[in-house]
Amino acid sequence: MTDSDSAAGSSRRKGRDESEEERADRMWTELIQEVRVAQMGVQILFAFLLTVVFQPKYEHLSDTDQTIYLITVVLGAVTTGALIGPVSLHRLVSGRRVKPQAVRWASRMTVLGLVLLLATTACSLLLILRVATHNGFVPYLVTGVVIWYLLCWFAIPLWTRHRHTAG
């Protein structure tokens, strides 16, 4: 590595002296820890959703509520797939010397999974509040919760990244 390569590399990897492979290993470990948290949430939510159709009250739901339920179950299924995808990706490419690329793809699947988890959670909340309250304020309340999630999950992290990352 030349001095100019070293200087360019240190500006990109502020504070860390690690190879691309070491960086990929560290990022993979961090990503898997993050995915575990999201997986737990979606698996609990999805398991709950799967039981609803077997409850006696289900057949008394309006057509709209049954449609919301079906959409929510499908969203839960695809969310589960997106958030378990990084594990499968790692297992199938392990030992092939493509960890940096695998980390990028796993990261994309995780962000997609978070977007889908937001949609699944919003639909679940919509259904539960519609059934529980039969009130017209429910869409506004759900919209408020979605805005809160967008702020916590995306806006603040993206603002932090923009604010504290060198150009």
Side-chain angles (χ1 to χ4, degrees):
M1 187 184 306
T2 68
D3 286 341
S4 63
D5 290 339
S6 179
S10 65
S11 68
R12 282 192 307 268
R13 293 186 309 231
K14 202 180 228 181
R16 295 204 188 258
D17 184 24
E18 55 190 3
S19 69
E20 182 181 17
E21 292 80 17
E22 290 168 332
R23 183 171 190 266
D25 287 341
R26 178 180 55 81
M27 290 179 73
W28 182 261
T29 300
E30 292 171 0
L31 179 68
I32 288 302
Q33 291 301 327
E34 295 162 0
V35 167
R36 282 185 181 141
V37 172
Q39 281 177 346
M40 179 67 73
V42 75
Q43 288 171 340
I44 291 169
L45 178 58
F46 190 51
F48 165 75
L49 287 169
L50 292 176
T51 66
V52 170
V53 74
F54 299 106
Q55 301 304 314
K57 190 171 183 172
Y58 177 79
E59 62 189 51
H60 301 294
L61 292 177
S62 70
D63 289 344
T64 301
D65 289 339
Q66 286 186 7
T67 299
I68 293 170
Y69 170 75
L70 293 174
I71 290 168
T72 305
V73 168
V74 171
L75 281 170
V78 297
T79 302
T80 300
L83 291 174
I84 293 176
V87 175
S88 176
L89 174 69
H90 181 263
R91 184 54 26 227
L92 293 174
V93 302
S94 183
R96 306 259 181 203
R97 300 197 177 273
V98 294
K99 188 168 268 181
Q101 297 83 359
V103 168
R104 282 192 292 277
W105 277 105
S107 180
R108 291 173 184 149
M109 280 190 266
T110 303
V111 171
L112 174 61
L114 290 174
V115 170
L116 291 168
L117 180 56
L118 173 59
T120 305
T121 304
C123 286
S124 298
L125 186 60
L126 178 64
L127 179 61
I128 290 166
L129 292 176
R130 280 177 55 93
V131 171
T133 67
H134 307 289
N135 203 313
F137 74 87
V138 168
Y140 301 107
L141 183 57
V142 172
T143 299
V145 171
V146 168
I147 290 169
W148 176 248
Y149 280 12
L150 289 170
L151 180 68
C152 293
W153 292 5
F154 300 103
I156 292 172
L158 289 171
W159 175 82
T160 302
R161 181 173 81 173
H162 174 74
R163 175 102 163 82
H164 299 289
T165 303

